[in-house]
Amino acid sequence: MNRNRNLEKSYSPDSIEQKWYAKWLEAGLFNAEINPEAKAFSIVIPPPNVTGSLHVGHAFDHTFQDIMCRTKRMEGYSVLWLPGTDHAGIATQNVVERDLSKKGISRYDLGREEFVKKVWEWKGVYGSRIIEQLKRLGNSCDWRRERFTLDEGLSKAVRTVFVRLYQKGLIYRGKYIVNWCPRCATAISDLEVEYSEEQGSFYYVKYPIIEKDCGEEYLLVATTRPETIIGDVAIAVHPRSEKYKHLIGKHVKVPLTDREIPIIQDNMVDPEFGTGCVKITPAHDPNDFLVGLNHNLEQIQVIDSQGIMNDNAGKYKGMTIEQARQESVKDLESMGLLLKTEKITHSVGHCQRCGTTVEPYLSEQWFVKTKPLAERGVQAVKDGRIRWVPEQWEKTYFNWMENIRDWCISRQLWWGHRIPAWECRDCGHITVAEVDPTECEHCHSKNIIQESDVLDTWLSSALWPFSTMGWPEDKPELKYFYPTSLMVTGFDIIFFWVARMIMMGLEFMDDVPFRDVYIHSLIRDEHGKKMSKTKGNVIDPLVMIEKYGADALRMTLAALSVQGRDILLSSTRIETYRFFMNKLWNAARFALMNLDDDVHEIDKSQLHLHDKFILTRTQEMAQSVRELIDSYDIGTAARSLYDFVWGDVCDWYLEMSKPALKGDEGEARRKTTAGVLEEVFRTTLPLLHPFTPFITEELWAAFGYDESEKFIMRSSWPEAKKDFMFAGVIDEMRVLQESVRTLRNLRAEAHVPPQQWLNRAVIRVDSGTASAKILSDSLNQISNLCRVHEVVIQQPSESWTYGASLSSVTGDCEIKLPVGDVLDVAKEITRLEQEIAAIGKTIAASQTRLDKADFIARAPAEVVEKERSKVSEGKAQIERLRANLESLSK
RNA sequence: GGGCGGAUAGUUCAGCGGUAGAACACCUGCUUUACACGCAGGGGGUCGUAGGUUCGAACCCUGCUUCGCCCACCA
């Protein structure tokens, strides 16, 4: 072996990370290959926005995915981790528009074609930034396959999907009320509206009644939007409303205008809310729109697409919504039609992208009819073809899918997939086609014009799992890697993305897009606040990588990850794992200083308890970490590795192996101990590799393993070697650890000079002897009892032997204590406790197997009684023994 | 209105039926040649609350208090 014995005294990640990432790339280790001999494992990355910059959310789910990918590679799967970015329609267009506006240019100045060109230029410069940042994390994506949602191939997929859905009647066009962002000047989907509670006013407005014979002068209507009054076309009351029944069919005059409108009845009105009657403005309210359709009412638009009052708004024309509101209130007041104003809190929708208040806006839009697609999506989860982890998200998913509403997919933007529909200027027919048509398919007129809208970005994202693999072409990748194995993402895009991928996957691939969906929690700051730039509490992963190293960041994120709870991240936490990296580094450094060039065989006859212990623990880790990762419990996996390395390996094994490695116990022991040490690292480094790829690769090389095996990344996942697993040694070791701890306390009390403090005690205990608890209890008894300067511990039985170092700790003291008795009693207590637990479990097991009532009815009650009495007898006995122990100690 | 999740040491969180754990912080003592990014020890918790199930509950069930999230409605 070519060992590197000159490791730096502390671990510095910087150069090491860069070095290995380049080497992995060079060796093509991230490349996914179709290998019929191997099972496939695939993940498509949730594509970050091209405008994006790496934040901890990305860092978190990418760490998770990388851990899965690296583990699966080591397990022998052919792994595809497919990266890419999302063109992010509104977000990107906004960024470029903002840039332009700094130069005083608007996108309209440039025109569509020029503007789109500018966005592409921007993408060329900044679009790869997020990808470069992802690489810093150590992501093992197959970068050769990087995709972009506006790529040629993906655009083709989008177009194919659009045309097929249209032909199937699942895409339609129509004039509806949609959520409209006046600032972005585009429609947005229901999901892109974010609601927040706001202070507003409730205006009580009098609508004079035309018919003088009904006994009332006016109808009182409460509204939050007086500026839309001029767009009113009716007043609605509940059909069974006693209060207004006699007014149905009568008319009122719309304030601020000369129009007269009818009083109608509709179930949508809640007689308990407000005044019990509602003004109907079909062009500016979604509910009113529906009422309008049902009653065949006119739709009067008074606000335009920019949020400005239009020609229909009379004197308010040209005002903003806010101005018009104030003006109309003023006017109503002066006309004596405003009865009162009430302060209320109501929730107001805002544009997800820019925060502008969303307006319901009547316009021609394209929609996906989602019901039929959603039904299949629900079915796929119900019959287990898709599994949600944690399972609870299933409910959220079902709830949304079962109440799904049609999806508005048209956007009045320039950046995106242009809708492949052409309207004929002559006959009005719409031609939808995969290949740009030259004439109307209906009347063959050449006078056709393409729809100017583009598609919602999320439509292209919904195709991501298969469009990235070459669909609609019949690519071998699709056959081999689709459906993907796992989707890892946050709950915030379950509806936006996950649900839609499921629908599209089922529709176009006739199969689910992924087998498992892992939904991870939100990362918050150390105080539980959502991270945001405005709050300034953002933890920038790149800064953390600079400061602590990518491995430390990854290990932190992995270890903190837990299902069903938000993750609170702070830099001190990352620091903890930074320390861990250093610990690992130094442990390896110690090992290297003590290993010969040759690898020594482990001579089983030379193994001491601590050797057997660490070997067994190591094999256990190989087993359990794999199982934990396979069940997506990377949090427990990471934490158990941390405890194992720091606790078992460093605190105990390395310390206890020192005398042997120094040669104090002879050459045979030295060689075997070296062999054990080697085995520990050779197994543990690969276990850590998915979590902390860089440091493990560096150490792997330092140990000299890369000569024949090359990279650790290419190594196989260590199998648990039965040969190195010894029964009972873990318990025995825990006994020893407790004993040593107690002895250290004794020593401390005895003011033994530090030089003589116990570093090492060789205590042999027969296998099958007491648990750790017994010994520690009894030793604690001793330490409590003794005037420490008189303490020596007597050998309780032949199974105890003390190493030489113990006497140096305890000096010349001497004690006589009934250790054996204490031990026996304690042992008996433990035995009884275990027995009780066992009986309890038996009872519990038989009860859970059957229905409880059923069990009691059918099971022999006397058996249960007998078991129960055994338990209470045992307990009584324990009480007696405890008292006994107490007296023995005195 | 519907749904989901949390409440455990000063703080952040594990544990989820068998005698309360970690990290950080705090206190004490240590330049013991892998590591002061360290070592050894210590203090600190009636596991939100009231009931219930059980031989046994932080853990299961019910109510309550409280914090947070999602969906729907909001004229």
Side-chain angles (χ1 to χ4, degrees):
Chain A
M1 287 292 159
N2 184 18
R3 318 277 198 191
N4 175 8
R5 297 199 172 77
N6 299 311
L7 297 183
E8 295 288 322
K9 205 172 164 189
S10 62
Y11 173 58
S12 39
D14 235 21
S15 55
I16 288 171
E17 289 178 3
Q18 281 165 31
K19 175 178 77 182
W20 287 111
Y21 202 79
K23 286 193 180 191
W24 290 330
L25 277 174
E26 196 190 339
L29 297 188
F30 302 162
N31 296 351
E33 305 298 345
I34 294 171
N35 175 5
E37 305 295 309
K39 279 198 276 181
F41 180 87
S42 55
I43 298 182
V44 290
I45 202 175
N49 290 354
V50 273
T51 54
S53 170
L54 189 74
H55 58 72
V56 271
H58 296 124
F60 182 72
D61 71 33
H62 289 229
T63 297
F64 193 105
Q65 291 168 60
D66 198 39
I67 289 169
M68 293 311 302
C69 287
R70 284 177 186 270
T71 305
K72 292 294 173 184
R73 262 186 220 106
M74 291 169 76
E75 288 178 2
Y77 287 78
S78 180
V79 171
L80 165 65
W81 189 14
L82 198 155
T85 49
D86 191 305
H87 70 278
I90 302 183
T92 311
Q93 177 160 327
N94 281 354
V95 168
V96 177
E97 276 192 274
R98 224 174 291 140
D99 276 4
L100 286 172
S101 76
K102 278 180 203 150
K103 296 179 211 151
I105 308 171
S106 88
R107 66 174 156 124
Y108 302 102
D109 297 337
L110 291 176
R112 182 167 190 147
E113 213 169 302
E114 267 308 300
F115 177 76
V116 169
K117 217 157 108 191
K118 277 266 180 284
V119 184
W120 274 108
E121 276 170 23
W122 183 93
K123 194 255 171 189
V125 177
Y126 300 103
S128 56
R129 184 180 52 180
I130 181 94
I131 293 292
E132 292 311 310
Q133 291 173 334
L134 292 177
K135 291 179 181 171
R136 295 289 308 279
L137 283 169
N139 285 1
S140 58
C141 301
D142 186 350
W143 300 110
R144 301 172 308 165
R145 297 173 188 263
E146 185 187 331
R147 294 288 183 274
F148 179 54
T149 47
L150 271 179
D151 276 352
E152 202 180 319
L154 274 69
S155 299
K156 186 160 184 247
V158 168
R159 194 141 168 180
T160 306
V161 161
F162 188 94
V163 172
R164 289 196 196 168
L165 287 176
Y166 182 79
Q167 284 164 353
K168 228 179 155 178
L170 292 178
I171 280 183
Y172 62 92
R173 192 172 86 134
K175 203 169 182 188
Y176 294 94
I177 284 260
V178 291
N179 299 296
W180 183 270
C181 173
R183 201 218 61 84
C184 302
T186 179
I188 54 180
S189 71
D190 296 342
L191 289 174
E192 285 161 291
V193 182
E194 283 175 353
Y195 291 91
S196 61
E197 294 284 300
E198 268 176 31
Q199 283 289 335
S201 296
F202 216 17
Y203 303 96
Y204 287 77
V205 180
K206 296 176 186 171
Y207 282 58
I209 296 172
I210 306 293
E211 290 83 354
K212 301 293 175 202
D213 56 346
C214 61
E216 318 257 350
E217 273 180 36
Y218 59 84
L219 203 54
L220 195 61
V221 174
T223 178
T224 53
R225 305 210 51 191
E227 72 276 14
T228 63
I229 285 177
I230 31 177
D232 287 353
V233 296
I235 299 293
V237 298
H238 195 272
R240 284 195 299 280
S241 156
E242 285 304 320
K243 199 171 156 194
Y244 299 116
K245 214 154 124 194
H246 62 291
L247 295 176
I248 294 168
K250 304 273 191 285
H251 296 78
V252 293
K253 179 176 166 296
V254 179
L256 313 172
T257 72
D258 293 327
R259 286 186 297 111
E260 291 178 9
I261 57 171
I263 297 167
I264 60 171
Q265 49 176 320
D266 197 288
N267 281 321
M268 152 266 198
V269 181
D270 175 0
E272 303 302 315
F273 190 88
T275 61
C277 43
V278 185
K279 70 189 207 58
I280 302 298
T281 323
H284 294 289
D285 182 277
N287 286 321
D288 295 4
F289 174 77
L290 292 176
V291 173
L293 286 187
N294 289 338
H295 296 267
N296 205 13
L297 300 170
E298 199 187 347
Q299 299 164 340
I300 304 176
Q301 245 171 319
V302 296
I303 304 170
D304 74 6
S305 64
Q306 315 278 316
I308 303 297
M309 306 305 288
N310 67 10
D311 291 344
N312 295 330
K315 65 172 281 204
Y316 307 104
K317 184 187 167 189
M319 294 184 191
T320 64
I321 293 169
E322 195 47 47
Q323 285 165 348
R325 182 174 303 171
Q326 285 168 14
E327 280 306 307
S328 7
V329 170
K330 228 184 269 170
D331 293 342
L332 287 168
E333 230 168 357
S334 62
M335 291 163 78
L337 294 178
L338 186 68
L339 182 77
K340 59 172 175 174
T341 305
E342 241 175 44
K343 290 272 171 250
I344 54 155
T345 31
H346 59 154
S347 83
V348 178
H350 299 272
C351 171
Q352 188 194 39
R353 285 291 155 205
C354 70
T356 306
T357 302
V358 165
E359 283 295 317
Y361 184 65
L362 185 65
S363 49
E364 193 89 51
Q365 303 289 348
W366 294 82
F367 298 86
V368 174
K369 201 166 160 187
T370 41
K371 275 238 155 49
L373 299 169
E375 274 162 20
R376 291 185 72 183
V378 167
Q379 198 49 43
V381 173
K382 284 208 164 133
D383 56 27
R385 281 178 290 156
I386 296 176
R387 191 166 63 107
W388 288 82
V389 185
E391 212 176 328
Q392 71 201 56
W393 292 108
E394 218 183 74
K395 267 194 179 172
T396 310
Y397 169 79
F398 284 143
N399 188 43
W400 190 72
M401 289 290 260
E402 280 159 5
N403 298 295
I404 199 163
R405 295 199 272 169
D406 284 356
W407 173 15
C408 175
I409 50 169
S410 45
R411 296 290 179 275
Q412 288 65 49
L413 304 171
W414 289 349
W415 176 242
H417 303 276
R418 196 154 170 187
I419 293 180
W422 284 259
E423 188 172 354
C424 177
R425 286 267 167 91
D426 293 330
C427 75
H429 179 81
I430 289 172
T431 305
V432 168
E434 287 193 41
V435 181
D436 288 10
T438 53
E439 56 175 45
C440 171
E441 65 184 354
H442 182 250
C443 74
H444 304 292
S445 161
K446 307 266 186 231
N447 195 7
I448 56 171
I449 182 164
Q450 187 174 4
E451 167 69 73
S452 62
D453 292 355
V454 300
L455 289 165
D456 182 1
T457 302
W458 291 105
L459 183 70
S460 51
S461 319
L463 319 179
W464 189 251
F466 50 91
S467 65
T468 50
M469 294 188 200
W471 189 89
E473 276 167 54
D474 191 19
K475 288 283 171 75
E477 278 88 346
L478 274 172
K479 266 204 192 71
Y480 188 70
F481 288 117
Y482 190 96
T484 63
S485 316
L486 174 65
M487 170 53 55
V488 179
T489 192
F491 60 82
D492 49 334
I493 53 175
I494 287 178
F495 307 144
F496 274 113
W497 194 45
V498 180
R500 288 164 176 173
M501 276 190 289
I502 294 173
M503 292 192 279
M504 291 302 171
L506 288 165
E507 176 67 22
F508 291 98
M509 294 297 295
D510 201 27
D511 201 349
V512 297
F514 30 74
R515 300 282 179 219
D516 291 349
V517 197
Y518 182 90
I519 299 296
H520 67 247
S521 328
L522 200 69
I523 310 229
R524 297 171 175 277
D525 76 358
E526 55 197 306
H527 307 294
K529 295 268 187 310
K530 211 167 170 171
M531 290 189 193
S532 76
K533 279 182 194 152
T534 46
K535 275 187 219 145
N537 62 346
V538 173
I539 292 182
D540 183 343
L542 294 166
V543 173
M544 294 300 118
I545 290 173
E546 296 281 321
K547 213 166 157 191
Y548 303 109
D551 286 336
L553 177 65
R554 291 170 60 112
M555 193 70 184
T556 310
L557 293 170
L560 288 181
S561 112
V562 64
Q563 293 180 1
R565 194 170 185 156
D566 289 343
I567 297 161
L568 274 53
L569 186 68
S570 67
S571 53
T572 49
R573 274 171 173 257
I574 305 173
E575 201 169 34
T576 303
Y577 288 93
R578 163 78 237 264
F579 296 159
F580 175 66
M581 292 304 121
N582 194 243
K583 189 73 180 174
L584 176 68
W585 180 261
N586 273 288
R589 185 162 162 252
F590 169 82
L592 285 163
M593 288 163 73
N594 285 286
L595 291 181
D596 299 330
D597 285 345
D598 296 332
V599 174
H600 295 299
E601 289 290 313
I602 295 172
D603 177 355
K604 280 184 148 188
S605 70
Q606 291 293 321
L607 293 175
H608 285 184
L609 173 61
H610 58 278
D611 300 313
K612 291 180 182 170
F613 162 78
I614 204 67
L615 284 171
T616 307
R617 284 284 294 131
T618 304
Q619 310 313 318
E620 278 182 1
M621 290 304 290
Q623 183 68 35
S624 69
V625 170
R626 179 179 186 156
E627 285 168 5
L628 287 165
I629 293 176
D630 282 346
S631 60
Y632 306 126
D633 191 355
I634 63 160
T636 308
R639 274 176 261 126
S640 70
L641 279 166
Y642 178 99
D643 292 342
F644 169 69
V645 170
W646 203 309
D648 292 336
V649 177
C650 294
D651 289 348
W652 290 98
Y653 187 70
L654 294 189
E655 292 303 329
M656 295 179 81
S657 68
K658 279 175 182 174
L661 291 169
K662 244 186 253 168
D664 292 356
E665 295 167 7
E667 188 58 9
R669 274 285 296 147
R670 192 188 70 82
K671 284 189 170 169
T672 282
T673 304
V676 172
L677 208 50
E678 184 110 41
E679 164 65 18
V680 168
F681 279 90
R682 199 166 191 146
T683 304
T684 307
L685 288 175
L687 302 183
L688 279 164
H689 177 257
F691 299 86
T692 59
F694 297 110
I695 191 173
T696 47
E697 194 71 83
E698 178 73 10
L699 292 175
W700 193 251
F703 275 88
Y705 302 149
D706 65 338
E707 262 179 27
S708 50
E709 298 174 46
K710 299 288 176 200
F711 302 93
I712 194 171
M713 200 185 147
R714 197 179 264 168
S715 66
S716 298
W717 190 267
E719 294 296 328
K721 304 182 192 73
K722 291 265 155 47
D723 223 28
F724 290 152
M725 295 177 86
F726 302 89
V729 292
I730 308 275
D731 280 348
E732 285 182 32
M733 184 65 183
R734 299 299 176 210
V735 169
L736 182 130
Q737 289 171 341
E738 284 300 323
S739 319
V740 169
R741 216 161 271 151
T742 307
L743 291 168
R744 280 169 179 159
N745 281 340
L746 288 179
R747 168 201 61 192
E749 281 187 56
H751 304 294
V752 178
Q755 290 79 2
Q756 292 177 40
W757 281 27
L758 182 70
N759 288 322
R760 168 173 177 259
V762 179
I763 303 175
R764 297 228 179 75
V765 186
D766 285 341
S767 52
T769 34
S771 74
K773 193 66 193 157
I774 303 168
L775 246 185
S776 86
D777 278 356
S778 26
L779 288 167
N780 272 316
Q781 296 289 348
I782 297 164
S783 66
N784 289 338
L785 278 169
C786 302
R787 293 294 90 200
V788 178
H789 58 277
E790 291 179 357
V791 170
V792 160
I793 295 168
Q794 198 179 42
Q795 227 171 273
S797 78
E798 280 184 6
S799 62
W800 286 71
T801 58
Y802 295 105
S805 48
L806 189 57
S807 61
S808 72
V809 171
T810 49
D812 299 304
C813 314
E814 203 180 319
I815 54 155
K816 295 177 244 37
L817 277 170
V819 177
D821 294 347
V822 174
L823 248 185
D824 287 344
V825 175
K827 211 193 271 184
E828 182 60 10
I829 290 177
T830 303
R831 197 190 63 74
L832 282 165
E833 278 176 349
Q834 283 170 355
E835 195 174 299
I836 288 169
I839 295 169
K841 269 178 189 154
T842 315
I843 298 173
S846 50
Q847 283 174 341
T848 44
R849 231 178 292 128
L850 303 167
D851 180 61
K852 205 170 167 187
D854 192 28
F855 172 79
I856 289 164
R858 297 204 287 137
E862 63 274 15
V863 171
V864 178
E865 261 332 294
K866 212 171 122 197
E867 297 299 302
R868 282 183 183 167
S869 66
K870 262 196 225 168
V871 169
S872 40
E873 266 171 40
K875 291 206 154 175
Q877 206 177 335
I878 286 176
E879 284 309 304
R880 284 197 297 278
L881 287 169
R882 286 233 163 94
N884 199 354
L885 192 65
E886 200 74 10
S887 66
L888 267 177
S889 311
K890 277 171 188 155

